[in-house]
């Protein structure tokens, strides 16, 4: 902006500023299309409906590439650089140590999955970092919240969707998954929808309550133990932060109720799950009861659905190859471990998977990336959105070895790293101006 004269008239916009504003608006649609494709899992939906994989992959990668070219340079903060190096070094070292006897899939599958993740993270994070605080950034974040809510709403529509799926999820009779073949993914999307709705509330209290009730109930409809536990923690964290005045009294009473609940969590949950109104089968009943056991601190092979055994197994293999790795795919499917649905189960932990497949260096880079992001969230925090959603993503990484290849996970991770990069970039710019 510049003044049209020296007489104090209203400023006018220069041609350069007009071109920049026009360019910014032109990259809004690729960002929104990318969010829709990833969060609504359109590739997965088409695959389940028509048995056609990768139907929208080219559009997804195309929009991500546009964003990289248009806004990629703004994203290079310390957390993002560490994350980028972690994924690149994972692919490089994983390919170097690759052993076809230890991997079910060829390396090309992992190049595509994690190469696509790099493009999405780089492009979308750069776009978010480029947005200045104000209506455009707020509008985009509200758009992301609404898409996550729509994805959570798909869980409610599962009975209808399952009528049209030719590739039904293995657990379709006991658990709802909506747009996702894996109900655990649907659960974590719904938890993120709750977190985003709490951080970016609707103006109407009625709509806010309805959105939270819909997304929160969707988590329980998936019967995901991780999702249910994560939802309880997110809601408790929000109540602690929001407590003011009479809220402190309510919070104190709530804490007493929680303490009493944890004293006899199993007994209380048994009374709930045995209610004839819920009509739960034995499988669903066991999953709900496990939530109380996990919140009470009982994490074993039963409550973790065998994950603790897989964690021990992959740690043993990683230590045998220390400080190197056993190659791409060797921890995505641990041959000789646990066989379910004619497939060897994987590490179910992103950190352990990267350590086992590519060695110590990529693991340390990933830990540093997530740690620096958490510290930056505490330092530059905008609305606690970053810290709350980062917690959900970390939980997802602890229980899933595929988290960095999950597209909804990529979107949320990119938004967090983009927000942090934007704030740190503006902070550095202000400091340089003060020095001048």
């Amino acid at each position: 902006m510049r003044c049209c004269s020296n007489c104090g008239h209203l400023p006018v916009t220069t041609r350069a500023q007009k071109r920049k504003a026009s360019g910014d608006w032109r990259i809004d649609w690729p960002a929104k299309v990318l969010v829709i494709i990833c969060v609504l899992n359109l590739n997965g939906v088409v695959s389940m409906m028509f048995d056609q994989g990768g139907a929208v992959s080219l559009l997804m990668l195309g929009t991500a590439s546009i964003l990289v070219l248009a806004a990629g340079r703004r994203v290079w903060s310390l957390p993002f650089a560490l994350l980028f190096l972690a994924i690149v070094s994972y692919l490089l070292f994983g390919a170097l140590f690759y052993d076809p006897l230890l991997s079910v899939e060829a390396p090309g599958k992992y190049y595509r999955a994690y190469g696509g993740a790099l493009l999405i993270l780089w492009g979308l994070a750069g776009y978010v970092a480029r947005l200045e605080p104000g209506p455009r950034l707020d509008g985009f974040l509200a758009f992301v919240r609404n898409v996550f809510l729509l994805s959570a709403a798909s869980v409610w529509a599962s009975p209808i969707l399952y009528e049209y799926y030719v590739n039904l999820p293995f657990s379709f009779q006991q658990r709802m998954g909506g747009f996702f073949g894996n109900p655990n993914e649907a659960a974590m999307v719904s938890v993120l929808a709750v977190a985003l709705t709490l951080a970016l509330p609707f103006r109407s209290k009625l709509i806010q309550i309805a959105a939270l009730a819909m997304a929160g109930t969707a988590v329980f409809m998936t019967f995901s133990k991780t999702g249910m536990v994560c939802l309880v923690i997110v809601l408790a964290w929000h109540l602690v932060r929001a407590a003011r005045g009479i809220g402190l009294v309510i919070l104190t009473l709530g804490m007493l109720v929680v303490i009493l609940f944890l004293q006899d969590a199993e007994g209380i949950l048994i009374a709930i799950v045995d209610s004839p109104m819920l009509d739960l089968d034995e499988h669903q009943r066991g999953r709900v009861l496990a939530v109380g056991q996990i919140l009470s601190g009982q994490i074993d092979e039963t409550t973790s659905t065998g994950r603790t055994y897989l964690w021990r197994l992959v740690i043993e293999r990683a230590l045998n190859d220390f400080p190197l790795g056993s190659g791409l795919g060797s921890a995505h499917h641990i041959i000789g471990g646990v066989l379910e649905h004619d497939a060897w189960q994987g590490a179910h932990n992103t950190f352990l998977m990267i350590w086992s497949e590519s060695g110590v260096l990529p693991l340390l880079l990933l830990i540093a990336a997530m740690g620096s992001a958490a510290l930056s969230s505490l330092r530059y925090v905008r609305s606690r959105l970053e810290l709350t959603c980062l917690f959900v993503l970390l939980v997802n990484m602890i229980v899933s070895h595929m988290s960095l290849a999950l597209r909804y996970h990529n979107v949320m991770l990119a938004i967090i790293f983009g927000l942090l990069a934007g704030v740190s970039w503006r902070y550095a710019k202000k400091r340089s101006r003060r020095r001048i």
Side-chain angles (χ1 to χ4, degrees):
M1 305 287 284
R2 62 174 175 83
C3 183
C4 59
S5 69
N6 293 325
C7 59
H9 290 174
L10 290 175
V12 296
T13 306
T14 65
R15 288 183 181 179
Q17 289 170 328
K18 286 182 179 179
R19 284 196 300 270
K20 181 180 182 300
S22 176
D24 283 347
W25 284 107
R26 279 198 295 269
I27 63 173
D28 283 350
W29 71 265
K32 291 182 177 180
V33 169
L34 185 60
V35 169
I36 290 172
I37 291 173
C38 295
V39 177
L40 299 186
N41 190 35
L42 295 189
N43 260 336
V45 172
V46 174
S47 177
M48 288 185 287
M49 280 191 172
F50 306 107
D51 197 21
Q52 179 64 47
V56 293
S57 293
L58 285 178
L59 180 58
M60 178 177 65
L61 297 177
T63 52
S65 299
I66 291 172
L67 295 175
V68 170
L69 294 173
R73 65 183 180 85
R74 182 66 67 85
V75 77
W76 291 103
S77 61
L78 177 62
F80 183 81
L82 289 169
L83 179 65
F84 191 89
L85 288 173
I87 298 176
V88 170
S89 62
Y90 159 68
L91 291 174
L92 290 176
F93 286 109
L96 181 64
F97 306 139
Y98 175 74
D99 183 348
L101 297 178
L102 297 177
S103 180
V104 174
E105 303 284 353
K109 176 182 178 180
Y110 305 106
Y111 298 154
R112 290 190 295 272
Y114 293 99
L118 282 175
L119 269 180
I120 294 169
L121 288 167
W122 190 358
L124 195 55
Y127 169 78
V128 173
R130 183 168 173 165
L131 295 178
E132 296 288 337
R136 282 190 64 210
L137 177 58
D138 293 339
F140 178 73
L141 293 177
F143 172 81
V144 172
R145 175 202 62 198
N146 295 341
V147 177
F148 268 94
L149 284 170
L150 179 59
S151 194
S154 75
V155 176
W156 288 73
S158 294
I160 299 173
L161 291 170
Y162 288 172
E163 293 290 329
Y164 296 94
Y165 287 169
V166 296
N167 293 323
L168 283 168
F170 291 116
S171 56
F172 76 96
Q173 292 181 326
Q174 293 89 22
R175 305 170 65 188
M176 302 290 100
F179 291 151
F180 298 85
N182 187 339
N184 294 325
E185 294 177 27
M188 298 311 289
V189 165
S190 301
V191 174
L192 286 170
V194 170
L196 287 166
T197 304
L198 290 172
L200 306 165
F202 289 92
R203 292 182 180 179
S204 168
K205 289 186 177 180
L206 182 61
I207 295 176
Q208 177 74 358
I209 293 172
L212 289 172
M214 180 276 294
T217 305
V219 177
F220 287 93
M221 292 171 68
T222 66
F223 289 95
S224 166
K225 290 179 281 189
T226 302
M228 288 185 281
V229 170
C230 199
L231 177 64
V232 170
I233 295 173
V234 167
L235 291 175
W237 166 244
H238 177 75
L239 289 175
V240 169
R241 285 189 52 249
R244 298 287 188 279
I246 189 66
L248 288 173
V249 178
I250 297 174
L251 177 63
T252 303
L253 293 174
M255 293 300 293
L256 290 174
V257 171
V258 169
I259 292 171
L260 292 174
F261 172 79
L262 293 178
Q263 293 298 314
D264 188 25
E266 187 172 0
I268 295 172
L269 285 175
I270 287 175
I272 294 173
V273 300
D274 286 344
S275 170
M277 293 180 62
L278 295 177
D279 191 26
L280 303 182
D281 62 28
E282 196 61 30
H283 178 77
Q284 295 167 334
R285 187 175 178 274
R287 283 185 161 272
V288 175
L289 292 177
V291 172
Q293 296 169 341
I294 293 171
L295 289 173
S296 300
Q298 180 183 336
I299 301 177
D300 51 28
E301 287 187 25
T302 302
T303 58
S304 69
T305 322
R307 281 179 172 82
T308 53
Y309 169 73
L310 290 167
W311 293 344
R312 289 197 301 271
L313 188 61
V314 77
I315 288 173
E316 288 176 7
R317 294 193 176 188
L319 289 174
N320 289 335
D321 293 318
F322 186 86
L324 308 177
S326 51
L328 289 175
S330 59
H332 280 76
H333 299 280
I334 305 173
I335 298 174
V338 177
L339 190 67
E340 288 185 7
H341 306 299
D342 296 324
W344 293 110
Q345 294 299 291
H348 283 81
N349 184 297
T350 297
F351 299 97
L352 293 180
M353 179 274 291
I354 286 181
W355 178 22
S356 178
E357 291 191 0
S358 56
V360 175
L361 179 60
L363 171 67
L364 294 177
L365 287 170
L366 181 60
I367 293 173
M370 303 309 291
S372 63
L375 291 175
S376 296
S377 296
L378 291 170
R379 182 180 182 186
Y380 300 121
V381 70
R382 178 180 182 272
S383 61
R384 297 292 177 185
L385 179 152
E386 298 91 340
L387 200 57
T388 305
C389 291
L390 188 64
F391 164 75
V392 178
L393 297 182
L394 279 170
V395 170
N396 202 27
M397 294 172 74
I398 290 171
V399 299
S400 169
H401 57 269
M402 286 293 294
S403 60
L404 291 178
L406 298 176
R407 300 316 181 198
Y408 75 86
H409 188 102
N410 295 156
V411 165
M412 200 64 246
L413 197 60
I415 289 171
I416 293 170
F417 277 70
L419 289 171
L420 296 177
V423 173
S424 61
W425 185 85
R426 287 186 287 274
Y427 179 75
K429 192 175 180 181
K430 286 181 181 178
R431 284 196 306 173
S432 64
R433 284 176 179 175
R434 287 173 188 167
R435 289 174 184 172
I436 295 173

